[in-house]
Amino acid sequence: MITKQEIHKLLESYDQKKIKIATVCSHSALQIFHGARAEGFKTIGIVTKDKLPIYEAFPNARPDEFIVVDSIADIPIDDLAAKNAILIPHGSLVEYPKLRAEDMKIPIFGNRASLRFERSRSLMFDWMTQAGLKIPKIFKPDEIDRPCIVKSAGAKGGYGYKVVKTPEEFYRRVTDRNDIIIQEYLVGIRVYPHFFYSPFGKIGYPAGKGKLELMSMDRRVETNVDELYRTMSVDVWVDPTFRIVGNEPIVIRESMLSDIFKAGKGVAEAADKLFGGMPGPFCVELVINDELEMYAFEISARIVAGTNIFPTGSFYSAYSYEMPMSTGRRIAAEIKSGISLSKLDKIIY
Ligand code: AMP
């Protein structure tokens, strides 16, 4: 991983009045550009030729400038640095580039060390445990004694996950057993709260030395598990699969906000201890069961695509901001505060 000193040296060479916000045209890029523009920043979109018409199609969210690349696996780091750009990480930037985000010599919003914890299942496990979250039990194949979800290696986003109930079913149905995880299948309602942690923010829930804001909340729509009632009702039986197709808003009982904030606070404070903190957006993926207990099965250490529902703010951000505040805009507002308070080094690595 490239050192913080190296990145901060590069950041110091930037003209602070001309900082631009850049990201890869994918995942939550429209929201990031839209929000950056609302805060007065110029934007750069790293785009492949085939996607260019999509990002040109939305006048209020198209970036001011495009850098066209052959593949989003190739991030034009030197070009970006020459243009005074801060790179905003999102799901596609974490998954696809040839060079890991941690190794890119370009200022990245947030703490790039968190991305390593997001990618590794064992580091994620340590993080969730230290955060004090209830987590699903993990099984070895021969110990399976209840419904379990088998998550394949690296494949995030639910693709290829299988639910099995016995060791025999596991060995029969799971043929690629490299780097898989077998997790207790959680029964309940999934909720994905979108947090924003600011080390110098003034509003929100106290966490560590800063404040934790609840920006919005969604739940995912996944094929085919989320439409099973329809297929079953016409007597078509399919194996549930969990590939994300989209997102829907969800608001939860106000009495449960206390547990939601405690989960977010635990994650932010454990991040402080484990890898020096996690300024910026993150999401704790939760299942709430019939006893109203919350179990966490994953943390996303950056903006999640569920925030795309709320480009003009949400039913939670309305209680914090007078203006329409998306997570994308909140990122830009934080960079703006970082510049004016001379604290960019606290939120960029
Ligand atoms: P993930 O890749 O961990 O974000 O999971 C993708 C999807 O699989 C989630 O959005 C859930 O619908 C489902 N899922 C993951 N882990 C569990 C679990 N332990 N119990 C039930 N469903 C899960």
Side-chain angles (χ1 to χ4, degrees):
M1 193 162 70
I2 202 155
T3 66
K4 207 176 232 179
Q5 286 77 0
E6 246 179 297
I7 296 298
H8 287 172
K9 205 166 146 210
L10 179 58
L11 190 61
E12 276 163 30
S13 74
Y14 276 19
D15 180 344
Q16 304 242 326
K17 288 191 203 77
K18 290 191 185 151
I19 282 181
K20 293 181 180 166
I21 288 186
T23 200
V24 173
C25 289
S26 178
H27 191 268
S28 44
L30 289 169
Q31 188 202 150
I32 291 168
F33 297 138
H34 180 254
R37 178 185 290 216
E39 290 295 317
F41 284 99
K42 293 280 185 222
T43 52
I44 305 171
I46 303 149
V47 71
T48 48
K49 224 173 177 175
D50 58 322
K51 295 267 178 72
L52 190 58
I54 298 165
Y55 287 85
E56 281 177 324
F58 296 100
N60 297 342
R62 59 164 288 163
D64 295 291
E65 192 183 329
F66 286 102
I67 301 180
V68 181
V69 291
D70 289 337
S71 152
I72 59 165
D74 299 310
I75 307 290
I77 295 164
D78 295 337
D79 255 18
L80 291 172
K83 290 175 190 289
N84 268 335
I86 292 176
L87 188 59
I88 313 298
H90 57 50
S92 302
L93 196 81
V94 175
E95 288 294 310
Y96 302 126
K98 280 190 201 133
L99 189 63
R100 291 194 161 165
E102 297 97 289
D103 299 319
M104 291 180 189
K105 196 174 171 195
I106 182 83
I108 289 183
F109 180 72
N111 178 359
R112 64 181 70 203
S114 66
L115 303 176
R116 202 161 61 86
F117 276 72
E118 170 171 339
R119 194 180 294 114
S120 152
R121 293 214 155 111
S122 62
L123 291 177
M124 170 80 67
F125 182 83
D126 293 344
W127 187 6
M128 294 203 290
T129 313
Q130 284 226 19
L133 300 170
K134 285 199 186 94
I135 52 179
K137 206 171 163 210
I138 306 291
F139 289 87
K140 295 202 176 85
D142 292 325
E143 296 167 353
I144 297 172
D145 64 357
R146 66 193 77 177
C148 287
I149 186 162
V150 183
K151 301 186 178 186
S152 35
K156 299 223 168 153
Y159 187 55
Y161 292 5
K162 291 192 173 77
V163 178
V164 299
K165 297 183 200 69
T166 60
E168 182 279 324
E169 190 184 359
F170 170 84
Y171 287 115
R172 183 164 42 83
R173 294 191 46 224
V174 181
T175 42
D176 182 1
R177 297 174 200 145
N178 279 327
D179 195 23
I180 50 162
I181 187 164
I182 307 170
Q183 214 175 56
E184 174 183 8
Y185 186 88
L186 298 167
V187 177
I189 297 292
R190 290 161 304 129
V191 294
Y192 301 76
H194 315 139
F195 294 104
F196 191 97
Y197 180 71
S198 173
F200 43 71
K202 296 266 181 292
I203 54 171
Y205 187 87
K209 293 193 180 102
K211 289 276 179 128
L212 186 67
E213 297 169 41
L214 180 61
M215 302 301 301
S216 46
M217 207 179 293
D218 80 299
R219 68 170 167 181
R220 294 175 177 172
V221 188
E222 292 163 4
T223 178
N224 289 309
V225 66
D226 285 322
E227 296 270 330
L228 278 186
Y229 67 97
R230 286 171 60 102
T231 43
M232 278 152 62
S233 73
V234 292
D235 202 21
V236 173
W237 296 84
V238 291
D239 243 359
T241 50
F242 301 87
R243 193 172 207 183
I244 297 161
V245 175
N247 306 78
E248 295 173 333
I250 184 167
V251 65
I252 61 160
R253 287 168 62 170
E254 201 157 302
S255 57
M256 288 175 358
L257 282 181
S258 141
D259 283 345
I260 291 279
F261 271 119
K262 274 186 209 148
K265 176 183 162 82
V267 168
E269 291 179 351
D272 256 339
K273 288 196 197 96
L274 288 168
F275 50 84
M278 185 172 50
F282 69 95
C283 175
V284 190
E285 307 185 3
L286 299 167
V287 170
I288 303 176
N289 70 16
D290 208 27
E291 306 302 318
L292 302 186
E293 294 164 328
M294 283 179 194
Y295 281 82
F297 58 92
E298 183 129 4
I299 301 167
S300 293
R302 30 97 199 154
I303 187 169
V304 288
T307 59
N308 289 341
I309 305 168
F310 310 104
T312 53
S314 81
F315 31 77
Y316 291 117
S317 69
Y319 304 140
S320 304
Y321 293 95
E322 294 302 327
M323 68 274 248
M325 186 59 76
S326 67
T327 293
R329 182 169 182 178
R330 184 66 189 82
I331 291 171
E334 189 77 346
I335 294 175
K336 211 155 122 182
S337 307
I339 296 170
S340 66
L341 299 168
S342 301
K343 285 187 175 170
L344 265 191
D345 60 328
K346 300 262 181 288
I347 54 168
I348 305 282
Y349 170 23

